[in-house]
Amino acid sequence: MSSKTTSKPNPDLRHTAGGLQQGLTRLMPDHVPIAFKLALVMTLLLVVGMASLGLFISDNQNRLIRTQLHDFGDTMARQLAKLASEPILSENSLNLRMLTTNLGQDDKVLGAGIYAHDGTLLSATGVQPELAMPPLESAKIISQPWFRHTAEDSSERLISFFAPATYQGVRVGSVAVTLSASLMDQAATRARNAIVYATLAMTLLASLLAYWLSRRLSLPIHQLMEATRAIGRGDLATRIDKRRNDEIGLLFEGFNDMAAGLLKKSQVEQVFSRYVSKNVADKVLANLDEVRLVDRPIEATVLFADITGFTAMSEKLEPSQVSELLNEYFSYISSACSLYGGVVDKFIGDCAMLVFGVLDEDSDHVFNAVSCAVLIQQLAARLNEERRADGRPEVHFRIGINSGAMLAGNLGSDERMEYTVVGDAVNLASRLCCEAKPDQTIVQERLITALQSRVVAQAGQSLPIRGKSLPVRIYSIENIHRDNQEQLQANLKKILNTRATQKSRRTVSHV
């Protein structure tokens, strides 16, 4: 029965590796310019190319120098062996000394020696090899490197060339010619240094050229990046005016088309949000593939606000004045609705329909609707003070509020639809608005019970409502409780301040 041993990873090693990786990550900059990356890549390619070329040239140079040295040594040894064969055989020492002396006068030759057949030195000049005579075959030259220690306690590399001296095919002796390999090494070193310096100079020049070229190549990318940042900041009118006939030019055209599309989309969204509630517009635009919002039963509150006597008032005004009046007051109603989390469902002539707790979850939608109604009435009262002082007709609202179960969803056809709420609770709110008097907000008794002591209300009579089998007991909302007055007055002040600011801007623009 065999057993297997499973090695567990060392937690200390994992911790060390993780710490090293985190440390390297911290050392890396957050942003590396593309010009630097391009310059680095181009420089590395040039350095690798120049280094490879330098190594190739240096290797060829060394091989050439080595070949020349060996060819010269072989030639000298072969020539000396040919000339020394007869003097060796005839034991003509004077002639042998002349041969070695003449050869030693060459600056490239450090030493020359002529040996008898038994290895006895017959004549020599200069440096002699500190090596045993190698076995020589007929007409074959052998070269052997060796080192000589100099007086400066350094060593010099030498090469000795050994050649057999033959007479009529018979070996009668041998010769040795010694050359300095240090000269070859020095020449190779000088060639290598020249190549290194040339490579460094070319690398520096190539780096500068690569950086300049990379900056030129990355300039369109920087322009595109700046334009993209401008788009991100909301400046959708940003365009790149550069004209190019390459891929970058096509990219610029694509960016400009995209920016124009974003600008058009933003304009459509802004216009769309003015025709429907912003919340509804956001939900529709967030899911363009499925525009139809799902119909769903909800518990919400509906508020109808109607301008009393508007028909008689509009007969005394120009159409432009009627439009200006409605736009002004509807903007106030929209602001008040937004401050309490409601949504403007629609404007019907001189009547506004507001809903609370439909699109966004709101557990206090009844009280928010009542607070919005009180804010509208108080705002109208403040504005009527100015209108009386200016001799203009006053504007009074009658408001009906009701809460209950209703269906929220789309109504209409595929060509034209509208997001709204429908149901008996909505119809009752509309009926209550019709029964209200100027500057009055009425609700049914059930809402007062739900609101308890948070509002100040006065009980009214029971009214027969069209569509209802039993009369509906109504209450008139006079105000909200003092605990919530601070927020109410803050909202009223906010709307009035916004109105004053807009009015001053219009005055300055006219001037």
Side-chain angles (χ1 to χ4, degrees):
M1 183 175 181
S2 62
S3 61
K4 295 182 179 180
T5 302
T6 304
S7 61
K8 296 182 179 180
N10 192 335
D12 295 335
L13 293 177
R14 276 188 315 199
H15 180 72
T16 303
L20 180 60
Q21 184 177 5
Q22 292 178 358
L24 293 175
T25 303
R26 285 194 296 268
L27 290 176
M28 292 295 292
D30 296 334
H31 173 69
V32 180
I34 191 171
F36 177 79
K37 295 179 180 179
L38 288 174
L40 181 61
V41 171
M42 296 172 68
T43 301
L44 288 177
L45 291 176
L46 289 172
V47 168
V48 170
M50 290 295 297
S52 301
L53 180 61
L55 291 175
F56 177 75
I57 295 175
S58 177
D59 182 68
N60 285 346
Q61 185 75 10
N62 292 337
R63 188 181 298 110
L64 178 62
I65 294 174
R66 187 166 53 251
T67 301
Q68 290 176 348
L69 182 65
H70 280 265
D71 289 345
F72 179 76
D74 290 348
T75 302
M76 291 296 101
R78 184 175 288 106
Q79 183 177 5
L80 179 60
K82 182 178 181 180
L83 296 175
S85 58
E86 290 186 6
I88 293 175
L89 187 63
S90 62
E91 297 182 355
N92 189 346
S93 58
L94 178 62
N95 199 0
L96 293 175
R97 283 196 299 273
M98 289 180 60
L99 290 175
T100 55
T101 301
N102 292 335
L103 189 61
Q105 292 178 356
D106 194 324
D107 295 337
K108 298 179 181 179
V109 179
L110 296 183
I114 301 176
Y115 299 86
H117 185 273
D118 58 359
T120 303
L121 181 62
L122 300 177
S123 178
T125 182
V127 178
Q128 297 302 309
E130 301 174 2
L131 300 170
M133 180 68 65
L136 298 175
E137 298 178 2
S138 177
K140 185 175 181 181
I141 300 176
I142 297 177
S143 62
Q144 290 187 349
W146 57 283
F147 290 90
R148 180 184 67 164
H149 294 281
T150 61
E152 292 80 6
D153 198 20
S154 61
S155 59
E156 181 182 11
R157 195 166 74 94
L158 306 176
I159 298 179
S160 295
F161 295 87
F162 300 93
T166 60
Y167 184 79
Q168 295 182 354
V170 179
R171 180 170 175 265
V172 296
S174 60
V175 299
V177 177
T178 302
L179 305 179
S180 175
S182 296
L183 296 177
M184 178 184 69
D185 296 338
Q186 293 174 4
T189 301
R190 286 193 298 269
R192 184 175 61 252
N193 291 339
I195 294 173
V196 169
Y197 293 145
T199 302
L200 292 176
M202 290 298 296
T203 300
L204 179 60
L205 181 62
S207 300
L208 297 176
L209 180 62
Y211 183 74
W212 175 82
L213 184 60
S214 61
R215 286 293 300 271
R216 293 281 298 176
L217 292 176
S218 63
L219 182 60
I221 300 178
H222 284 287
Q223 294 173 344
L224 185 61
M225 183 174 63
E226 292 298 327
T228 304
R229 288 176 177 171
I231 292 291
R233 292 192 300 267
D235 186 8
L236 301 181
T238 300
R239 299 291 184 274
I240 301 178
D241 297 331
K242 301 294 183 180
R243 294 291 182 269
R244 300 171 62 105
N245 57 352
D246 54 8
E247 290 80 358
I248 299 295
L250 295 177
L251 186 61
F252 284 171
E253 292 180 6
F255 174 84
N256 291 336
D257 293 341
M258 180 200 70
L262 289 175
L263 179 60
K264 186 175 181 179
K265 179 177 179 293
S266 176
Q267 293 171 344
V268 170
E269 289 179 359
Q270 292 175 3
V271 174
F272 186 47
S273 298
R274 296 180 63 183
Y275 282 89
V276 298
S277 168
K278 185 179 184 302
N279 293 342
V280 175
D282 292 341
K283 289 183 179 295
V284 171
L285 293 172
N287 189 16
L288 294 176
D289 294 333
E290 183 60 43
V291 177
R292 180 174 293 276
L293 301 178
V294 179
D295 298 337
R296 59 190 180 95
I298 59 170
E299 187 77 19
T301 302
V302 181
L303 181 154
F304 283 90
D306 185 25
I307 300 177
T308 59
F310 182 75
T311 302
M313 185 189 306
S314 59
E315 292 178 354
K316 303 175 183 179
L317 300 175
E318 296 292 333
S320 59
Q321 294 175 321
V322 174
S323 175
E324 182 179 357
L325 176 66
L326 288 177
N327 289 337
E328 178 184 0
Y329 276 86
F330 283 161
S331 66
Y332 299 148
I333 292 176
S334 297
S335 299
C337 180
S338 176
L339 289 173
Y340 284 100
V343 174
V344 177
D345 186 283
K346 63 174 66 70
F347 295 113
I348 312 168
D350 59 336
C351 179
M353 176 182 173
L354 315 180
V355 291
F356 296 82
V358 176
L359 293 176
D360 298 322
E361 189 68 27
D362 185 4
S363 59
D364 205 16
H365 53 82
V366 177
F367 180 71
N368 286 332
V370 172
S371 300
C372 179
V374 174
L375 177 59
I376 293 173
Q377 296 288 21
Q378 292 189 7
L379 179 61
R382 293 284 293 272
L383 296 177
N384 282 334
E385 295 177 2
E386 297 182 10
R387 298 183 73 85
R388 281 195 301 271
D390 297 338
R392 293 180 294 167
E394 300 179 15
V395 177
H396 300 274
F397 285 93
R398 54 183 181 183
I399 300 176
I401 302 175
N402 191 38
S403 177
M406 57 191 73
L407 187 67
N410 281 310
L411 291 179
S413 64
D414 293 338
E415 291 78 17
R416 176 71 170 88
M417 61 179 59
E418 178 183 28
Y419 186 79
T420 186
V421 291
V422 293
D424 182 66
V426 180
N427 296 333
L428 182 56
S430 178
R431 300 289 188 272
L432 293 177
C433 178
C434 295
E435 297 295 336
K437 297 177 182 179
D439 301 327
Q440 186 183 29
T441 300
I442 62 175
V443 298
Q444 63 170 320
E445 184 178 12
R446 184 173 62 83
L447 267 65
I448 297 298
T449 304
L451 293 173
Q452 297 179 353
S453 60
R454 300 175 69 184
V455 298
V456 179
Q458 183 179 2
Q461 73 277 20
S462 297
L463 296 177
I465 302 297
R466 183 165 56 89
K468 291 290 184 180
S469 58
L470 297 177
V472 177
R473 184 170 178 80
I474 64 171
Y475 279 75
S476 177
I477 303 295
E478 295 182 353
N479 209 333
I480 61 175
H481 196 270
R482 61 177 177 270
D483 293 341
N484 300 101
Q485 280 292 327
E486 183 178 355
Q487 182 64 40
L488 177 68
Q489 296 304 318
N491 291 337
L492 177 61
K493 184 178 180 180
K494 183 177 182 179
I495 295 177
L496 291 174
N497 289 340
T498 302
R499 173 178 177 270
T501 302
Q502 294 175 349
K503 189 175 181 180
S504 62
R505 288 177 180 174
R506 286 195 297 267
T507 303
V508 171
S509 64
H510 288 314
V511 173

